[in-house]
Amino acid sequence: MKYLLMIYENEKAAETLSEADVQRVMGEYGTFEQAIRQSGHFISGEELEPTAAATTVRIRDGKRLTTDGPFAETREQLGGFFLVEARDLDEAIGIASRIPSARSGSIEVRPVREFTLPQD
């Protein structure tokens, strides 16, 4: 089953890290990703640009409305994700607990709903 592991952290706190700390964390992410690639769990993963680069889109009364930035003000922001293949939720949680940002932020583990579109 596929699971999306969404990585939430406080962007402001991350901006205060020293260059040495950034390099250390990036090294930890490299080690983590290599391990889940070798184990066959990795499907995809990306780091996101900061929320200042986000645009929120809504359709109201048939009109498109856009807002700069994220929709909600929160203490933690979505900073990236991994899409993984796991046997079950327990295995997905085990993988998520190894993500370096789990120590300073939070990882939301969500099953991917798989469905097939009807054929014509």
Side-chain angles (χ1 to χ4, degrees), residues 1-4 83-84 110-114:
M1 179 168 210
K2 293 179 186 167
Y3 290 87
L4 187 62
L83 180 63
V84 300
R110 191 179 301 184
V112 174
R113 182 179 292 170
E114 299 186 48

Side-chain angles (χ1 to χ4, degrees), residues 34-50:
Q34 182 179 11
I36 65 172
R37 282 179 182 275
Q38 289 176 347
S39 68
H41 292 105
F42 180 87
I43 297 173
S44 180
E46 297 290 342
E47 179 180 7
L48 301 176
E49 291 290 337

Side-chain angles (χ1 to χ4, degrees), residues 59-87:
I59 303 296
R60 299 294 184 268
D61 298 321
K63 294 183 179 165
R64 182 181 67 192
L65 307 171
T66 60
T67 306
D68 290 340
F71 173 69
E73 292 293 324
T74 60
R75 289 186 300 155
E76 294 180 330
Q77 294 76 35
L78 179 62
F81 68 90
F82 284 99
L83 180 63
V84 300
E85 183 70 37
R87 182 177 53 255

Side-chain angles (χ1 to χ4, degrees), residues 79-112:
F81 68 90
F82 284 99
L83 180 63
V84 300
E85 183 70 37
R87 182 177 53 255
D88 53 28
L89 179 60
D90 288 338
E91 185 174 43
I93 290 170
I95 295 167
S97 68
R98 296 173 18 222
I99 295 174
S101 292
R103 295 189 308 265
S104 56
S106 60
I107 313 299
E108 180 179 343
V109 178
R110 191 179 301 184
V112 174

